[in-house]
Amino acid sequence: MAGPIDKTLRAAKTHAKSGAYAEAEALYREVLARFPGNKRAQAGLAEIAQSRATRPMNPPRPVIDQLFGLKKSGRDREAAEAAARVLKQFPRAPVAMEVRAAALSALGDHEGAAALYRELVGMFPDAPDAHGSYGNELMALNRDDEAVAEFERVLELRPGDAVALNNIGNAKRRAGEQQESLEMYRAAHEAAPDFVEAELNLANVLVLSKKTQEAERHLSEVLRKLPDNYRALKTMGDVRHEHGDKPGAVDYYKRSLAINPDDVETIASLIMTTRISEGAPIVARLEALLEAPEHHDRLRVKLEFALGKAYEDIGNTEKSFAFYARGNARRKNLLGYTIEQDETLFAQIKQAFPTAPPAIPEVPQDGPAPIFIVGLPRSGTTLTEQIVSAHPMVAPGGEMTELGGAMSRLDWTNSEDFRAKADEIRAEYREALRAHANGAPFVTDKMPLNFRWVGPIRALFPDAKIVHLQRDPRAVIWSIYRLNFASDGNAYAHSLDDLVDYRALHQDLSAHWKTLFGETIYDLNYEQLVENPETEIRALIDYLELPFDEACLRPQDNKRIARTASRDQVVKPIYKGSSQAWEKYAPYLESAFAKLD
């Protein structure tokens, strides 16, 4: 009989732990009816009695109704004060704690709200809503790792909870874990297909992941259900912009603003897509919105960069530079970046590859071969990809994140970590290449910062072609500085001094690779490319060992999408002059540029 008794006692304990005291008491009494001396059942009943005696009590129903009424009507300050008075009379009353926490959250006191929800979680550890609310407050406090733990607890208690999945996606996205956020948003959408917020978040990350066709399908579905959803209209504008359809993008942004004229993200996107003239009302509106106290710093960064671009269009370089400087300083502060972080990483990489590494053996593959296009951002990698992928034997991969993501997660102080994971990294990367190839034998990967991984690339892909872009550092640094990157992978970009130092790190590491690998790395000078395009393009195609194709001389006719900040330039014929754009800002750049070697 011990087996069934144990099972009953365990069930009773589980009920008691979750607060289902009546069910627990019934099971304990069932055991005692058969075995009056059972000590575990007697102890269980004693614990229930003690819990009932000490369990916080809620106030009478009229008081509860008054609290909920204040909260529901939006009178948050009154609700918070009323709940505080109730808690003096009924300490730790769950309903009063919940109302006060929700009201404090609405008032922006996330510390206060989090403290109350943390207490509620302690009182009711198996209540999924308490964990979810606590997680939301932790997110508001930028304590994302703790928040994810709370949302994961929700999923343990309520498997497949779409809101929890969506919230984990939000945390992963904010942490720059794009693939993980995409998986969470997909799971949330599958769990609740009519959950619009999750589907919109999924579409946004699909745009960032260059999966614009899939994003467009989701956005079309949202707009079919909710034609006036301004967020969906804004993201559809982003999709049209990604596809090079500027008029279409502007149309969607304007439709979105017609519904919500003060949506700052849409205003910023419209400014970045159109040329702004002096006196344009949109600039004054954006400056006013920038001062609104409710905007978080990440949004302020976006607004400051948009205003920098607007005043650049107008020709007011003083105001333009001031806003670029503000946006960069704010973003650097958010990222907590110091140049020492990259100095350490670059030193570790050099130490890991003091000599040319031997090739890591691989079973022969039928899939496409990579062509790596590397260098600093804004050095001409997009134009080079447009030239190379115009060739019928080459498919564009764009800025592929798979390799860099895998390399960044390795411990470069451990000489064995790379080789231990090499096969897995290479297999996953080859899968990504196949996804882009569409039958072509070669795929470009123009992730600029892959210049850091030339040593590992040579070990994984000993025959791969590597094209390294060089450009006037003043043009590169200014072009990077005025750009608000979509991801956090360019943390060095938000200080002119950091940019100068990072460029020196780039030059030093590139020289190291050149010493190890010599002419197997092809150096392509951007200024020479735009000065003598045919000569340089023919030499480039010759290095790639491809038969020459005239289409490579007309990159502007390449209909494959260039999904980077350079998209608007590469749809034009190759032209000179873009390397001089920094000169208008020379007085503000002089101090930093004086340190260039």
Side-chain angles (χ1 to χ4, degrees):
M1 299 298 292
I5 293 278
D6 282 344
K7 185 176 181 181
T8 302
L9 289 168
R10 285 197 301 272
K13 189 170 184 178
T14 299
H15 282 305
K17 187 177 179 182
S18 67
Y21 297 127
E23 293 85 344
E25 184 176 2
L27 290 173
Y28 283 136
R29 293 198 182 282
E30 178 186 324
V31 171
L32 289 172
R34 299 176 62 190
F35 303 95
N38 188 285
K39 296 188 181 302
R40 289 169 63 190
Q42 291 171 350
L45 285 175
E47 288 177 7
I48 289 174
Q50 184 178 5
S51 296
R52 280 176 164 161
T54 59
R55 188 183 184 191
M57 291 182 59
N58 276 319
R61 172 53 60 181
V63 176
I64 293 174
D65 290 342
Q66 180 192 26
L67 291 178
F68 279 126
L70 289 170
K71 183 70 188 76
K72 190 174 181 180
S73 64
R75 296 155 66 185
D76 292 303
R77 193 167 300 283
E78 293 176 62
E81 292 169 353
R85 290 193 296 271
V86 170
L87 286 168
K88 288 182 179 178
Q89 186 177 358
F90 298 89
R92 300 180 77 219
V95 167
M97 291 172 67
E98 185 176 348
V99 169
R100 180 165 170 79
L104 290 177
S105 178
L107 292 168
D109 181 3
H110 299 293
E111 289 281 4
L116 286 164
Y117 283 127
R118 181 172 59 249
E119 194 170 354
L120 283 166
V121 163
M123 292 163 60
F124 304 100
D126 294 328
D129 289 340
H131 286 281
S133 296
Y134 184 33
N136 289 336
E137 298 310 310
L138 291 170
M139 283 281 286
L141 293 168
N142 295 314
R143 292 159 60 184
D144 291 358
D145 289 345
E146 296 173 71
V148 168
E150 296 302 318
F151 299 138
E152 287 175 343
R153 178 62 178 149
V154 173
L155 292 174
E156 291 174 9
L157 297 165
R158 199 156 57 202
D161 185 281
V163 174
L165 290 165
N166 181 69
N167 286 340
I168 294 173
N170 291 338
K172 296 294 184 183
R173 180 179 176 185
R174 198 154 74 177
E177 299 173 21
Q178 196 163 291
Q179 184 58 38
E180 290 83 352
S181 70
L182 185 59
E183 291 169 2
M184 290 295 108
Y185 290 142
R186 282 194 198 282
H189 176 59
E190 289 170 6
D194 290 329
F195 184 15
V196 169
E197 182 179 348
E199 190 162 19
L200 279 174
N201 286 334
L202 173 59
N204 275 312
V205 177
L206 286 168
V207 173
L208 292 175
S209 303
K210 321 306 181 190
K211 302 178 189 292
T212 50
Q213 291 183 333
E214 185 181 354
E216 195 163 8
R217 289 197 300 272
H218 285 290
L219 292 168
S220 296
E221 179 61 20
V222 170
L223 290 171
R224 183 185 66 79
K225 299 172 187 173
L226 302 170
D228 291 336
N229 187 292
Y230 73 92
R231 289 180 57 207
L233 289 166
K234 187 266 180 188
T235 307
M236 190 68 92
D238 295 340
V239 169
R240 298 319 313 157
H241 194 203
E242 285 290 330
H243 283 277
D245 178 11
K246 228 182 208 185
V250 170
D251 178 61
Y252 274 108
Y253 293 147
K254 287 182 175 179
R255 287 169 60 187
S256 178
L257 288 172
I259 298 162
N260 186 0
D262 289 336
D263 182 63
V264 289
E265 293 210 31
T266 309
I267 295 172
S269 294
L270 182 60
I271 285 177
M272 301 304 287
T273 312
T274 55
R275 186 163 187 83
I276 305 302
S277 56
E278 190 166 5
I282 196 171
V283 177
R285 192 192 322 173
L286 196 59
E287 286 190 298
L289 290 169
L290 178 60
E291 302 306 319
E294 68 271 16
H295 294 148
H296 55 78
D297 275 351
R298 281 185 173 266
L299 188 54
R300 292 185 194 281
V301 168
K302 187 172 288 189
L303 305 186
E304 285 160 342
F305 273 92
L307 284 165
K309 189 266 183 186
Y311 280 110
E312 183 175 352
D313 287 347
I314 292 167
N316 188 331
T317 54
E318 182 179 1
K319 277 194 169 185
S320 173
F321 184 82
F323 278 115
Y324 282 138
R326 283 174 58 179
N328 275 297
R330 193 186 301 273
R331 188 161 188 191
K332 179 179 176 177
N333 183 60
L334 283 170
L335 294 172
Y337 175 80
T338 64
I339 192 64
E340 288 77 18
Q341 295 168 14
D342 277 312
E343 288 174 345
T344 299
L345 173 63
F346 280 51
Q348 290 171 352
I349 294 170
K350 285 180 70 174
Q351 289 168 8
F353 294 91
T355 59
I360 297 174
E362 178 185 23
V363 175
Q365 298 289 318
D366 293 331
I371 296 173
F372 294 97
I373 302 171
V374 303
L376 289 175
R378 314 296 288 162
S379 61
T381 56
T382 300
L383 174 59
T384 303
E385 182 183 51
Q386 288 294 99
I387 290 167
V388 174
S389 66
H391 197 287
M393 294 175 64
V394 183
E399 294 184 353
M400 297 174 62
T401 59
E402 291 80 6
L403 187 65
M407 295 295 173
S408 296
R409 290 189 289 271
L410 294 176
D411 178 4
W412 291 104
T413 64
N414 177 358
S415 60
E416 297 303 315
D417 197 28
F418 166 60
R419 289 193 167 269
K421 298 171 182 173
D423 288 338
E424 179 185 349
I425 292 171
R426 182 165 51 195
E428 291 180 358
Y429 187 68
R430 285 211 181 273
E431 281 301 311
L433 290 172
R434 291 187 188 98
H436 288 287
N438 293 319
F442 298 95
V443 175
T444 54
D445 180 347
K446 65 162 290 287
M447 176 57 73
L449 298 190
N450 279 341
F451 77 81
R452 298 172 298 177
W453 318 120
V454 169
I457 285 170
R458 274 284 167 257
L460 295 172
F461 308 100
D463 298 323
K465 300 296 185 180
I466 302 175
V467 180
H468 176 229
L469 268 295
Q470 293 276 11
R471 188 182 183 186
D472 182 339
R474 297 166 300 180
V476 170
I477 288 171
W478 172 243
S479 189
I480 292 174
Y481 188 71
R482 62 183 292 279
L483 181 64
N484 185 23
F485 287 92
S487 75
D488 291 340
N490 295 285
Y492 61 86
H494 306 297
S495 156
L496 290 170
D497 289 332
D498 288 345
L499 276 163
V500 170
D501 290 341
Y502 191 85
R503 189 256 175 182
L505 291 173
H506 160 259
Q507 292 294 94
D508 178 71
L509 185 57
S510 297
H512 178 67
W513 298 138
K514 197 71 173 176
T515 299
L516 298 187
F517 306 116
E519 298 308 312
T520 66
I521 302 171
Y522 186 83
D523 290 318
L524 179 60
N525 182 279
Y526 177 83
E527 281 78 20
Q528 292 176 14
L529 175 63
V530 298
E531 185 70 33
N532 300 296
E534 182 165 355
T535 300
E536 295 298 326
I537 290 171
R538 286 184 178 276
L540 172 62
I541 300 303
D542 185 56
Y543 160 76
L544 297 174
E545 299 184 273
L546 297 171
F548 186 75
D549 193 287
E550 293 287 333
C552 296
L553 299 176
R554 300 185 301 278
Q556 71 275 11
D557 295 335
N558 186 347
K559 300 306 179 185
R560 289 144 169 177
I561 301 170
R563 304 180 181 94
T564 69
S566 305
R567 67 171 71 83
D568 295 333
Q569 296 171 354
V570 297
V571 297
K572 305 172 185 175
I574 296 174
Y575 68 99
K576 309 170 191 176
S578 62
S579 289
Q580 282 71 52
W582 66 271
E583 292 178 354
K584 293 184 295 183
Y585 293 84
Y588 312 104
L589 307 174
E590 186 175 6
S591 175
F593 284 3
K595 293 180 285 186
L596 286 169
D597 53 29

